[in-house]
Amino acid sequence: MNLITPEVVSAHNLTGEEYARIVKLMGREPTFVELGIFSVMWSEHCSYKSSRVHLKRLPTRNERVVVPPGENAGVVDVGDGWCAAFKVESHNHPSFIEPFQGAATGVGGILRDIFTMGARPIAAMNSIRFGTLDHERHGRRNRALLAGVVAGIAHYGNAFGVPTIGGEVMFDDAYALNPLVNAFALGLVRRDQIFYGRAVGVGNPVLYVGAKTGRDGIHGATMASAEFDDEALEKRPTVQVGDPFLEKLLLEACLEVMRSGAVAGIQDMGAAGLTSSSCEMAARAGTGLEIDLTLVPQREQGMSAYEIMLSESQERMLIVAHKGRERQVVDIFKHWELDAVVIGRVTDTGRVQIMHHEGTVADIPVGYLTDEAPIYERPMRAPETRDEGSRVRDEEAALINEAVGVSSVPETPTLSDTVEGSEELDSILSAAKSPVNASDADHNESFLKLLAAPNIASKEWVYRQYDHMVRTNTAVLPGADAAIVRIKETRRALAMCLDGNGRYSAADPREGARQIVAEAARNVVCVGARPLAVTNCLNFPSPERPEVMWSFSETIDGMAEACLAFDTPVISGNVSFYNETEGHGILPTPVIGMVGIIEDVRRIIQPGFKTEGDLIALLGETHDDLSVSEYAATVEGRTTGEMLRAGRLARLDLKLEQAVQSACLQAADEGLLRSAHDCADGGFSVALAESCFSTLNRPSTGATVELTGALPVAAQLFAETPSRIIVSFDEAARARVEEIAAGLGCPISVIGRAGGTELRITVDGQPAISQRVGELETHWRAAFGQRLQAEALAAAAE
Amino acid sequence: MKFGVIVFPGSNCDHDAYHVISKHVGQPVSFIWHREIDLAEYDALIIPGGFSYGDYLRAGALASFSPVMSSVREFAGRGGLVLGICNGFQILCESGLLPGALIRNRDLHFVCEHVRVRVECADTPFTNELKRGQILSMPVAHAEGNYVCDDETLRELQSEDRIIFRYCDADGRATPEANPNGARDHIAGICNRERNVVGLMPHPERACEDLLGSSDGRGLFHSLAATLAAAAS
């Protein structure tokens, strides 16, 4: 018998107060199994105890939302009786400990969340972040982590048979000791065939289906709720091993058994395994469950009740069947060569009662684990910035803004450190200004550097390893602003993208959140889709630090504001706290998964210029937004810390953003646009180059563009001002496109033409960039893979 | 005429093949579970891509021992038409219905992209609607697509005109750069001596609609359908 000592309590990541609360609720000391159950159900990962009070402020509903947050995945109506179920989830901690399996099981978990709803997964994406590839000390490890994570994602998604069609790969040293792996999946389900994780129907049998239970992953959920330290790498046994083959069988068996009508409720055994699936199913239905652990299929002998309840073995589900239909469920799973065993029944007690050889090992009112779980309003504190440095900086910024016609100054403080000493202040002030005296040669050189920067260079090396075409729905290949899968049974298609920007969020969490929502919506609009709904993955350091909690709260408010503006409710998501190692936190990194709808697949727009002689126009306007940018990092060589101290983030005008997106969509709907591409990392010139590069069945093309205005040349070329889209169209469409833009209040300037073999940009009549497109493209395509070839060979050989 | 798509645990291009036969070829088609052994009602079989039995041990190795494969051997022996795509090609090699083997790609990782192949032989039931020298654009998606065989087998394949597709560039030249996996002699697809069994690594079923980037794969399925129609009349 295990004695519960303060050390045991602390080893379960429960505080003394939390333990006291358990004893008070229960009216007695919990058993060891009960302690394990409380610890995972009350963990940050399962209970959202630090984030819940804030998450309430997000919009979660509109007329298209069928299932709001709270289930395994959110669901929106996409027309003709079809619905899309989607969600993004983090698997950061396991991926750092064991990149291949950590990433693989992250994909497996999110796929189960989707097919638990009754939806067949038809698309996957992922957003991954690492330390920089060339880092002096950690470069080798960062490259190995990237190679391992990519191989793990490929291993699972490819074998399962879901196309991995998009995502993002970003680098910053803030992620060196804590990489981020966020996996997204989307599935299709008929509106009348959605399933829920609810243990309904007193007396209904509870079936355990899928893989056998082993000792792997015990306490994965509590691990994911603690900071890393030196011992973290010894936690390898808490990372599970995934089997995509088994998951594929589980998918087919689950969908078949759902069609059979035998299923009353179904839930994935994800984090905290049997514990969370049983407790959550009972909690949602307001029922109780009685489970006999001796009946659970086990991979190993002599497993204790504690181990069975907390195991995170993969590829398992809990099914509540309609009474009398057990046989049918078992037969269908047998056909797919999987276990399906009745292990208990639904009761009206409102308690989770767990039996094992020794008798009842746990007996807990379900509400204690869910409703009564602690909720924290953690202290929040904005970083101190009202110091001399930032005051002067604001004044300086205001002057610069006045010169370029921007009136708004952000009111929110930034995460920058206190600045001391006038010398540093001087250097900061000069850094805040853009270099205005760079020569043409410099601009060409800057441009080449940016195209080869890992955050910008083609990610072909990554997505070539993912099967992105299986299921024959992929209408736009990876590399566009958003990925697209058509819905076979209709004329419609779904566009989707993942976007985050830790740099922006660190500079100003509220503004950063507004901008990533806006960028995600813009990306979807650029392929001709109307934004529908959002899923989010909120990656932050420890919530126990007031500055982190403040940035989290700010993020929620910024996200809520932008999601309301675009009418894109947040229908699912995940919070990942404690992303820090040895006291070094990551940048606050909210990631947005945006899904949009295209009513007619023939109206899909892509980034590439299509026809020689087409006019090129910019929707939106460029400002002097260089100080927090890829340019500042790559060309000026600033560290993120320097950028955050010296820089200020551009401010997004939601009205302008909506005007730009509406203009683009309307022109696309009327069939006027030949191409559309968002200006993002690296600014206008990088976006223009990407529109020139070749894609499948489309050769590369040149472009000649003339920019004018009062801005420094570098800002014209590389500033990351939001709310800009580069479009192209036939000369004959010009009048109508300009009319649409004017009608919606969207600034538009026709700036050049597609054609030739060179990319030429002149600013105020002076040549700024002149390069052969073919050479640029080779440079951009090769940069990423060249840095990784050695690691890839090592990972593959493993 | 009736098509059958064989489904092993772990097949994942089964739905795609089924979709193409029913929607684009417009012929009756059924799934055949790996434990079925009666193939009497079928005129042509497709062994689709995927990871049969998880591709554990070796890609296609376990599938070659499954009950349905014994029947496929008999079916092929009677002259029935069998098309193996990707994992299906691997299974056909492991089953001994086609010579050689498919090993790990030259650069060791999974590769998914559109490639070009040159039609080397129009004299099979799967390519008779195509022209020799014609260039087709089709996707590949595999980690083990690097075709290998011994010198004698290669000479046989060459002399008996059994190399059906070779990887090539836009101008039709078979070059190492155009070869995505390092396959010997740039081989993308071959047939058996009787020419009724074909295996290829590229996915023609993923190249049957312009929306997906290519319709070039249709030629294979139309050839098959035309062959069966001619045989039936």
Side-chain angles (χ1 to χ4, degrees), chain A residues 243 337 464 471 486 697, chain B residues 16 35 56 112-113 209 213:
Chain A
D243 182 352
E337 302 180 8
R464 240 176 133 233
R471 300 206 61 75
R486 54 93 179 264
N697 301 330
Chain B
D16 301 350
R35 283 204 224 97
Y56 293 125
C112 176
E113 64 185 1
E209 289 174 77

Side-chain angles (χ1 to χ4, degrees), chain A residues 169-497:
Chain A
V169 188
M170 303 297 281
F171 302 92
D172 191 292
D173 282 326
Y175 307 107
L177 294 169
N178 201 122
L180 299 186
V181 176
N182 295 177
F184 168 100
L186 178 145
L188 281 181
V189 57
R190 297 294 298 173
R191 188 168 177 144
D192 54 6
Q193 287 165 19
I194 296 170
F195 281 82
Y196 297 91
R198 296 176 191 167
V200 292
V202 173
N204 274 343
V206 176
L207 287 99
Y208 171 110
V209 305
K212 292 178 170 40
T213 294
R215 287 195 172 93
D216 47 345
I218 291 173
H219 271 316
T222 41
M223 172 191 76
S225 304
E227 294 165 36
F228 271 136
D229 49 37
D230 286 342
E231 289 166 27
L233 292 172
E234 291 166 22
K235 289 186 174 164
R236 212 174 290 256
T238 58
V239 178
Q240 316 84 10
V241 174
D243 182 352
F245 168 62
L246 209 61
E247 177 121 323
K248 164 73 171 158
L249 301 182
L250 189 62
L251 161 78
E252 299 299 343
C254 284
L255 292 184
E256 190 176 332
V257 81
M258 286 165 169
R259 279 194 303 270
S260 77
V263 177
I266 178 166
Q267 165 107 5
D268 157 42
M269 288 193 220
L274 190 52
T275 295
S276 69
S277 56
S278 56
C279 297
E280 284 171 14
M281 283 187 87
R284 289 196 196 107
T287 55
L289 284 182
E290 215 174 68
I291 288 173
D292 182 353
L293 296 182
T294 59
L295 302 172
V296 170
Q298 292 160 49
R299 203 190 299 147
E300 301 168 62
Q301 288 193 334
M303 285 185 71
S304 68
Y306 180 90
E307 288 169 328
I308 297 169
M309 284 305 285
L310 298 186
S311 162
E312 292 193 356
S313 292
Q314 298 289 291
E315 292 94 22
R316 305 178 300 161
M317 294 268 196
L318 204 60
I319 289 179
V320 171
H322 293 295
K323 214 183 298 180
R325 308 285 292 268
E326 300 87 330
R327 191 70 248 158
Q328 202 178 353
V329 176
V330 171
D331 285 346
I332 289 171
F333 278 84
K334 204 171 167 190
H335 172 80
W336 292 98
E337 302 180 8
L338 293 170
D339 282 319
V341 182
V342 176
I343 60 165
R345 63 187 185 92
V346 179
T347 65
D348 61 0
T349 59
R351 308 172 79 87
V352 173
Q353 293 163 300
I354 310 292
M355 264 69 73
H356 201 223
H357 298 299
E358 59 269 40
T360 300
V361 291
D363 184 354
I364 311 172
V366 177
Y368 293 179
L369 299 167
T370 52
D371 299 342
E372 297 292 332
I375 292 178
Y376 293 127
E377 283 196 50
R378 301 224 186 247
M380 301 193 288
R381 188 172 61 235
E384 288 187 20
T385 55
R386 300 290 88 188
D387 57 281
E388 184 65 5
S390 60
R391 193 184 57 73
V392 177
R393 195 159 71 242
D394 283 355
E395 285 170 8
E396 184 80 13
L399 285 174
I400 296 171
N401 282 339
E402 216 173 276
V404 297
V406 181
S407 53
S408 56
V409 173
E411 285 156 17
T412 43
T414 65
L415 259 185
S416 52
D417 297 333
T418 305
V419 178
E420 284 166 16
S422 62
E423 252 181 50
E424 197 176 345
L425 183 60
D426 285 346
S427 76
I428 284 167
L429 286 177
S430 61
K433 298 175 194 165
S434 310
V436 288
N437 54 349
S439 68
D440 309 345
D442 290 340
H443 295 312
N444 276 296
E445 197 186 317
S446 305
F447 186 48
L448 288 170
K449 268 191 190 161
L450 279 169
L451 285 176
N455 283 341
I456 289 176
S458 167
K459 303 301 184 297
E460 202 172 279
W461 183 89
V462 173
Y463 64 71
R464 240 176 133 233
Q465 297 187 53
Y466 304 148
D467 187 341
H468 46 263
M469 297 186 242
V470 63
R471 300 206 61 75
T472 59
N473 295 319
T474 309
V476 171
L477 298 176
D481 295 79
I484 298 182
V485 286
R486 54 93 179 264
I487 305 173
K488 266 201 186 93
E489 296 79 0
T490 72
R491 279 168 85 176
R492 297 193 172 91
L494 295 173
M496 60 202 80
C497 64

